[in-house]
């Protein structure tokens, strides 16, 4: 049930773009994206719901392909502050019995 | 507006001991989820509390138990500690609405020697 994230690691120069993918073998209700910097708590970036529209946040946006059960996180014109580990959390059911199942993360390093 | 707070920040225990971790949710949130995060791994869901009851549980043994109080704060208890229990324990709070966005605390780093 654990979603698969790819790539495992990305190294960018400041200003470059990146795409992080999150795939599930199960039908998804929602996909959550978080960023965690070393030694800190994960920070919410955005959520995509089944039937919802593509979301955007500053220069970070995401899409959700319901047919493929896949979400992609797009980072454009990357900044040094984008460095960290990106996790997707997938939710299989709506309603009271809900829990997020997390991928293993994608490590992103943005260098000057 | 205080965010999610966890205590203690760090903890060192020996095998066989018991530990209690505490979490105060973000103001207005009624749901608390606990996660275990091993080094270099993603968070692993332990359980979720809502209305003082365990609503959902991950694949963790009964040594892991919890509690939610009327003020929505929560405790995670781990009995008979094993070396493998060493990890960062994260608490996340949310509001029981459609989107269920979770806000995380900084975590408690547990080391079992």
């Amino acid at each position: 049930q654990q979603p698969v994230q790819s790539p495992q690691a990305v190294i960018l120069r400041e200003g470059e773009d990146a795409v992080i993918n999150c795939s599930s073998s199960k039908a998804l209700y929602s996909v959550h994206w978080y960023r965690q910097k070393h030694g800190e708590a994960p920070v919410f970036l955005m959520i995509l719901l089944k039937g919802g529209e593509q979301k955007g946040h500053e220069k970070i946006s995401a899409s959700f392909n319901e047919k493929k059960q896949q979400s992609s996180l797009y980072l454009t014109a990357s900044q040094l502050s984008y460095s960290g580990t990106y996790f997707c959390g997938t939710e299989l059911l709506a309603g009271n019995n809900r829990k997020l199942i997390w991928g293993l993360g994608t490590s992103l390093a943005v260098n000057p | 507006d205080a965010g999610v707070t966890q205590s203690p920040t760090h903890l060192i225990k020996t095998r066989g001991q018991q530990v209690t971790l505490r979490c105060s949710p973000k103001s207005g949130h009624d749901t608390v989820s606990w996660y275990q995060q091993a080094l270099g791994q993603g968070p692993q869901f332990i359980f979720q509390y809502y209305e003082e009851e365990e609503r959902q549980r991950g694949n963790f043994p009964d040594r892991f138990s919890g509690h939610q109080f009327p003020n929505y704060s929560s405790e995670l208890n781990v009995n008979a500690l094993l070396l493998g229990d060493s990890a960062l324990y994260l608490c996340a709070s949310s509001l029981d609405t459609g989107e269920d966005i979770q806000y995380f605390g900084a975590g408690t780093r547990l080391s079992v020697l």
Side-chain angles (χ1 to χ4, degrees), chain B residues 1 3 9 11 17-19 24 31-32 36 44 47 58 60 63 68-69 71 73 75 80 83 87 93 96 109 111 113:
Chain B
D1 179 23
T9 306
L11 205 51
Q17 284 190 311
Q18 177 266 342
V19 68
S24 293
T31 304
V32 173
Q36 181 193 67
Q44 296 293 313
F47 42 54
F60 279 80
R63 298 187 298 109
Q68 186 179 34
F69 300 95
N71 66 354
S73 65
E75 287 183 350
L83 295 179
S93 74
D96 189 45
R109 173 71 63 185
S111 298
L113 306 178

Side-chain angles (χ1 to χ4, degrees), chain A residues 28-91:
Chain A
L28 299 176
Y29 171 71
S30 69
V31 179
H32 301 225
W33 285 99
Y34 286 74
R35 176 174 61 211
Q36 185 177 28
K37 294 183 179 289
H38 183 69
E40 299 180 9
V43 174
F44 172 77
L45 294 175
M46 65 188 72
I47 179 174
L48 298 106
L49 301 176
K50 180 179 180 179
E53 58 188 28
Q54 182 167 335
K55 297 274 190 172
H57 175 72
E58 296 179 347
K59 294 180 181 178
I60 300 175
S61 61
S63 64
F64 182 16
N65 187 322
E66 296 173 31
K67 289 184 179 180
K68 294 184 177 180
Q69 306 306 325
Q70 178 178 332
S71 177
S72 295
L73 185 71
Y74 306 95
L75 302 118
T76 58
S78 60
Q79 305 170 14
L80 297 177
S81 61
Y82 287 4
S83 294
T85 301
Y86 289 77
F87 291 99
C88 70
T90 55
E91 187 177 9

Side-chain angles (χ1 to χ4, degrees), chain A residues 2 29-30 32 34 36 38-44 47 49 55 87 91 95-100 102-105, chain B residues 35 37 40-45 48 55-58 88 90 96-107:
Chain A
Q2 184 176 44
Y29 171 71
S30 69
H32 301 225
Y34 286 74
Q36 185 177 28
H38 183 69
E40 299 180 9
V43 174
F44 172 77
I47 179 174
L49 301 176
K55 297 274 190 172
F87 291 99
E91 187 177 9
N96 286 333
N97 292 322
R98 303 165 69 177
K99 63 180 180 181
L100 284 177
W102 297 80
L104 293 179
Chain B
Y35 295 88
Q37 186 177 26
Q41 302 292 316
Q44 296 293 313
F45 177 77
Q48 183 181 81
R55 178 163 69 177
Q56 188 72 240
R57 189 178 181 93
L88 178 68
L90 294 165
D96 189 45
T97 62
E99 291 194 338
D100 194 31
I101 296 170
Q102 302 197 2
Y103 292 83
F104 285 83

